[in-house]
Amino acid sequence: MLDIKLLRGNPGVVREALNKRGSDLDLNPFLNLEEKRREKLAVVEQLKNRRNVVSEEIGRLKREGNEAADMVAEMRQVSQNIKELDDELRDIEAELQGFLLTIPNVPHETVPVGRDAQDNVEVYRHGEPGSPGFAVKPHWEVGESFDILDFERGSKVSGARFTFYKGAGARLERAVINFMLDLHITEHGYVEVLPPYMVNSGSMLGTGQLPKFAEDMFKVEGTDYYLIPTAEVPVTNLYSGEILDGSRLTISHCAYSACFRAEAGAAGRDTRGLIRQHQFNKVELVKFTRPEDSYEEHEKLTWHAQRVLQVLEIPYRVVCLSTGDMGFSSAKTYDIEVWMPSYNDYKEISSCSNFEDFQARRANIRFKDGKEKPRFVHTLNGSGLAVGRTVAAILENCQQEDGSVKIPGPLVRYMGGMEKIG
RNA sequence: GGAGAGAUGGCCGAGUGGAUGAAGGCGCACGCCUGGAAAGCGUGUGAACGGGAAACCGUUUCGCGAGUUCGAAUCUCGCUCUCUCCGCCA
């Protein structure tokens, strides 16, 4: 959510930001309504002042044993007027709020301006896609041939885009989760959190999934609970409504969770394998920073996510998303893309974003130093990493000529000493 | 699921419908005292919104939402959450 004062005082900045994102939202109805709100507010506050002053006077008179019938009559009328104005104001504020919640964040000045993913800019590349001299099998074939992934039974038991992991496959998924968590906890200084997988609508509003993206999520029928699409939601909302002690910042959390996505509008894309599932595992990194620190922390966080692939020795690249490809809440996003032989291309495995105060304003997360006024924190997050996609990348990038898969060194101890699959 | 108790400022904790943004305490900040510290003493200490260059002024805020009233932390109703006991369960 943007600062209403920014919109009021500097609508040009917001219009320009919207244009960069390819949105043609008209701000004028909003600005007119906001003007109306302030006019009515001034009137009703004056009436309330009158009521407060006179009511106090009535109290004084009664205590002294005097009558005040005419004043009481007047105040009855004033209270009636206040009530009507308050009702009108509440409607206006609800409308303003609804509008405000649908305006995307303003992109940072360093973000490349562009229409879509075509305009993303590669900023870093690590390792080179191997040319193994044999035909690398896609991970879904590897998974089925060694009976470690079972897509058909996943469909039978649940439906499309659900998968069973079995044997060494299940263990590999678990090994990757533990390896990632340990790396971030011990080497990067994150504090681990294991969050709820269902959250209420207020939390979804706080991080920006609601109100615009309800169709992307699973809702638990008959309740106010949603299955989380990412641990970002519960972990960012961990401090919602709180005023944090400034000396505690930067706060860094990492969290493993299952993630649930309806994948509305993704029909026909990535239909095979582990790439696009309704339920998948992810290790998430979340930071709460002072405003002046967030861009430095954004670089750090993105680096921490990359470390996973560096240590596993899997090729990847980092791209800075253009204004047209960025998510609704983000001010700047780097995607980390892992080399995926089955696609003969790089495939997104992490998305690291700085939201500045956009989420903090929605979720009301502030900090304070001593006697200063509270300020909104900046929130950041990134996958560190998507676990299913990492497993897929291992099954393909670490494939040997005989079709077996060599377990990357750092994972061997998490696999109980197992060095290869197949 | 049943029965009961509760929700007040950063924390604890008072609060007969009018003088209470809210006693008292803790914490915190500043000052005095001290060679320095502790103790002691004094002063100050929430947030949001609106107006104002500022000083400051106004409005709102005692879990949330309705209601009664000239006036609600205080009375009524609904909801949420927390705690205790019983049942069930991992």
Side-chain angles (χ1 to χ4, degrees), chain A residues 56-234:
Chain A
E56 208 175 307
E57 177 69 10
I58 292 170
R60 198 180 58 75
L61 288 171
K62 292 214 165 171
R63 246 176 288 122
E64 292 168 357
N66 297 317
E67 273 307 311
D70 50 340
M71 284 182 171
V72 169
E74 186 202 341
M75 284 311 103
R76 190 172 293 141
Q77 185 56 48
V78 168
S79 278
Q80 185 58 35
N81 291 349
I82 289 173
K83 198 170 179 180
E84 283 162 17
L85 280 166
D86 269 343
D87 284 348
E88 290 174 39
L89 266 173
R90 186 155 21 83
D91 289 347
I92 290 173
E93 274 162 16
E95 199 176 330
L96 285 169
Q97 185 73 1
F99 190 86
L100 213 49
L101 287 172
T102 61
I103 302 176
N105 203 355
V106 174
H108 190 250
E109 59 190 13
T110 58
V111 173
V113 177
R115 275 220 334 270
D116 52 34
Q118 300 277 305
D119 300 312
N120 296 348
V121 175
E122 181 176 318
V123 295
Y124 186 73
R125 191 180 279 239
H126 182 272
E128 279 305 316
S131 40
F134 61 92
V136 173
K137 286 197 286 185
H139 68 271
W140 53 89
E141 286 181 18
V142 178
E144 284 175 333
S145 64
F146 296 139
D147 196 26
I148 57 173
L149 295 176
D150 192 335
F151 300 102
E152 286 201 13
R153 290 198 178 92
S155 302
K156 177 182 74 177
V157 173
S158 295
R161 301 191 191 278
F162 287 93
T163 302
F164 279 92
Y165 290 72
K166 288 158 69 178
R171 188 161 198 182
L172 181 59
E173 181 89 359
R174 186 158 53 87
V176 167
I177 293 166
N178 285 326
F179 161 70
M180 288 177 180
L181 284 172
D182 287 349
L183 180 73
H184 297 310
I185 293 161
T186 61
E187 292 188 24
H188 303 147
Y190 289 75
V191 175
E192 184 174 356
V193 169
L194 186 61
Y197 294 174
M198 288 188 250
V199 300
N200 58 36
S201 54
S203 295
M204 287 297 189
L205 205 65
T207 33
Q209 280 74 23
L210 289 178
K212 283 194 83 173
F213 307 103
E215 70 282 4
D216 293 335
M217 295 181 300
F218 289 107
K219 186 171 190 193
V220 181
E221 206 175 329
T223 73
D224 187 40
Y225 295 139
Y226 291 82
L227 295 178
I228 57 171
T230 157
E232 162 194 349
V233 179

Side-chain angles (χ1 to χ4, degrees), chain A residues 2 16 23-24 35 103 117 128 144 150 157 177 179 188 235 239 268 323 380 392 416:
Chain A
L2 298 178
E16 194 191 327
S23 162
D24 58 354
E35 191 54 40
I103 302 176
E128 279 305 316
E144 284 175 333
D150 192 335
V157 173
I177 293 166
F179 161 70
H188 303 147
V235 178
Y239 302 114
T323 51
L380 301 87

Side-chain angles (χ1 to χ4, degrees), chain A residues 16-33:
Chain A
E16 194 191 327
L18 288 170
N19 286 340
K20 283 183 182 175
R21 280 178 174 272
S23 162
D24 58 354
L25 199 63
D26 182 7
L27 295 179
N28 287 322
F30 173 83
L31 294 169
N32 293 337
L33 198 60

Side-chain angles (χ1 to χ4, degrees), chain A residues 126-128 130 179 306-316 338 393-394 397-398 406 408-410:
Chain A
H126 182 272
E128 279 305 316
F179 161 70
Q306 292 170 57
R307 286 293 298 158
V308 174
L309 293 173
Q310 290 174 14
V311 173
L312 294 178
E313 298 181 39
I314 298 174
Y316 70 88
V338 71
I394 290 169
N397 284 287
C398 302
K406 184 173 181 296

Side-chain angles (χ1 to χ4, degrees), chain A residues 332-352:
Chain A
K332 184 175 184 177
T333 299
Y334 291 118
D335 272 7
I336 300 172
E337 300 181 338
V338 71
W339 178 251
M340 200 67 80
S342 56
Y343 283 74
N344 193 36
D345 200 358
Y346 289 94
K347 191 76 189 167
E348 178 188 339
I349 198 166
S350 171
S351 194
C352 302

Side-chain angles (χ1 to χ4, degrees), chain A residues 343-417:
Chain A
Y343 283 74
N344 193 36
D345 200 358
Y346 289 94
K347 191 76 189 167
E348 178 188 339
I349 198 166
S350 171
S351 194
C352 302
S353 301
N354 184 353
F355 303 94
E356 299 188 357
D357 64 8
F358 188 85
Q359 292 180 328
R361 183 170 280 111
R362 287 174 161 242
N364 196 21
I365 308 168
R366 292 171 294 172
F367 75 99
K368 188 163 84 157
D369 290 307
K371 290 193 151 184
E372 285 177 20
K373 282 182 77 75
R375 290 191 285 160
F376 288 111
V377 299
H378 280 195
T379 61
L380 301 87
N381 70 56
S383 344
L385 307 162
V387 177
R389 290 186 181 187
T390 303
V391 166
I394 290 169
L395 293 181
E396 297 185 8
N397 284 287
C398 302
Q399 211 175 108
Q400 312 290 105
E401 186 156 12
D402 65 2
S404 67
V405 175
K406 184 173 181 296
I407 305 291
L411 292 179
V412 169
R413 71 184 182 90
Y414 291 97
M415 293 293 287

